[in-house]
Amino acid sequence: MEITLTTPALLFPALSLLLLAYTNRFMALANRVRTLKSQYQTTHSSHLMLQIQNLRQRLVIVRNMQAVGIASMFGCVLCMFLLFAGFVQAGQFIFGASLLALLVSLAMSLREIQISGDALNIELNDMENDEERRREAAGLSPLQNHDETE
């Protein structure tokens, strides 16, 4: 397979957008952490502690996604330099490694999305528990679980 200087350059727009998306994800998580911290300080709710633990795990994954994504971009630049300098075989090897790094980064992103779904389930469970307590306090019948009715 022949790789030219334009081959690794094709990944630059995709990698740039991917890193921007990862940065936005990190900023959203950072804002959520600050919000949960202030809520926890006033309520000391156990469900908030579950959310905080979930966020800690997600922050680690997003940080690693960013690092591996940057390594992929670095590999593309190094590949271009090696190809420019005439080290075609080394350039091909580095390009393959940068593609693998991109795959790892995307796999981490998928895992982070799954954990994000878990965070939403924590919120939904807390809302359902609050509603059940409210209905019990009002002497109303408890809500049926949607899983039981299907």
Side-chain angles (χ1 to χ4, degrees), residues 64-134:
N64 291 338
M65 286 169 17
Q66 288 175 314
V68 176
I70 290 168
S72 179
M73 184 171 261
F74 183 85
C76 284
V77 173
L78 181 58
C79 171
M80 289 173 64
F81 175 76
L82 291 170
L83 292 173
F84 178 75
F87 300 106
V88 176
Q89 192 169 16
Q92 289 174 336
F93 176 76
I94 295 298
F95 183 66
S98 67
L99 288 177
L100 286 175
L102 181 58
L103 280 173
V104 169
S105 179
L106 291 171
M108 287 182 198
S109 178
L110 178 62
R111 179 64 185 135
E112 194 273 333
I113 289 169
Q114 291 171 334
I115 295 170
S116 177
D118 294 342
L120 292 174
N121 281 329
I122 292 170
E123 287 297 319
L124 292 172
N125 288 339
D126 186 58
M127 285 178 11
E128 288 173 351
N129 291 339
D130 285 348
E131 180 62 18
E132 285 178 21
R133 284 191 293 271
R134 186 189 69 76

Side-chain angles (χ1 to χ4, degrees), residues 10-147:
L10 291 173
L11 286 180
F12 276 101
L15 287 170
S16 297
L17 289 174
L18 192 64
L19 291 175
L20 180 62
Y22 290 171
T23 300
N24 288 340
R25 193 86 174 158
F26 183 82
M27 295 305 296
L29 289 174
N31 288 335
R32 184 71 177 133
V33 165
R34 290 180 185 99
T35 302
L36 284 177
K37 180 185 177 205
S38 66
Q39 288 177 356
Y40 183 77
Q41 287 175 332
T42 58
T43 65
H44 296 289
S45 172
S46 62
H47 107 274
L48 289 178
M49 187 50 72
L50 289 173
Q51 287 288 26
I52 290 167
Q53 291 167 352
N54 182 289
L55 284 170
R56 182 181 307 276
Q57 185 180 12
R58 290 171 61 197
L59 282 169
V60 168
I61 291 173
V62 170
R63 182 192 64 211
N64 291 338
M65 286 169 17
Q66 288 175 314
V68 176
I70 290 168
S72 179
M73 184 171 261
F74 183 85
C76 284
V77 173
L78 181 58
C79 171
M80 289 173 64
F81 175 76
L82 291 170
L83 292 173
F84 178 75
F87 300 106
V88 176
Q89 192 169 16
Q92 289 174 336
F93 176 76
I94 295 298
F95 183 66
S98 67
L99 288 177
L100 286 175
L102 181 58
L103 280 173
V104 169
S105 179
L106 291 171
M108 287 182 198
S109 178
L110 178 62
R111 179 64 185 135
E112 194 273 333
I113 289 169
Q114 291 171 334
I115 295 170
S116 177
D118 294 342
L120 292 174
N121 281 329
I122 292 170
E123 287 297 319
L124 292 172
N125 288 339
D126 186 58
M127 285 178 11
E128 288 173 351
N129 291 339
D130 285 348
E131 180 62 18
E132 285 178 21
R133 284 191 293 271
R134 186 189 69 76
R135 291 181 70 81
E136 286 174 5
L140 302 171
S141 64
L143 292 174
Q144 288 184 333
N145 189 341
H146 292 288
D147 294 337

